[in-house]
Amino acid sequence: MTIKQLDDGTSYTKAHAHDWEDPDCTIKGRVKIYRKIDGIRAIRNKIGAVWSRNSKPLPHCDHLNFQDAEIFRNSWNETSSILGRIDAPTIALTQENVYELRDGFIDPRLYIGWADNPSNENLEALMHKYIAQGDEGLIVRVEHKGKVLWWKIVPYKYADVIITGFKEGTNKNKGKCGSIASNWGSAGSMVEDCLQDHNIKGDANIRTWLWQNRNSLIGKVMQVRYREKTEAGKLRFPSLVRLRTDKNEESFD
């Protein structure tokens, strides 16, 4: 578990990925298991304004009741399209789209159940069950020395990394993005519909859009999924998941 802070000192908890594929890495004790929905984290700062995790104002949330929550309406793409608008969205967020995350106030819709010393095999099976229902994975919370640790159970590891450059593709991808560079390796593959929040679908269209907008995207943050880090510290098999317009710093599972 990591305690992070907004620019004004407001604290929030960040979960770490549990390596459920490693038989030597297990979670001990009685735990509570929750759904991990694929929304956008929203936190009220010390004066009650709604900020993202990178201390940027999140619009269209002031009327909602929460302190630290995941905002989610149908999908990450739809949620992002609403919160990314400057003007008023055609579909307003409601209290039903708010999933409180504070300990003691966690939204009951997220709760799955409890377990003693859950095995990695059971966590994996449960993870896939909820992924099939549209969730991102699981959150496992366990008390340890008076603190609550957050572990996320997801099928891949994820990293938010800064874009340092683009490389043109070859053959059918000539004149399009072949790969996106970062200091941790290059993402040459794209998760299906990774730019759906820009109303862009299909590998060819995604690569065309990235290449056309490459100059404005350098220095921005992209989310990639990967299997593991190499001994050299590079990400193995990174794929572009989405552009993280709500973040300005790198982070790793």
Side-chain angles (χ1 to χ4, degrees), residues 161-175:
V161 297
I162 293 175
I163 297 171
T164 59
F166 291 79
K167 183 177 180 180
E168 185 177 2
T170 58
N171 300 323
K172 69 176 183 178
N173 288 326
K174 183 70 176 177

Side-chain angles (χ1 to χ4, degrees), residues 65-79:
N65 180 29
F66 67 90
Q67 290 296 318
D68 180 358
E70 199 82 0
I71 307 299
F72 178 78
R73 178 183 169 86
N74 295 329
S75 69
W76 189 91
N77 290 318
E78 183 173 336
T79 308

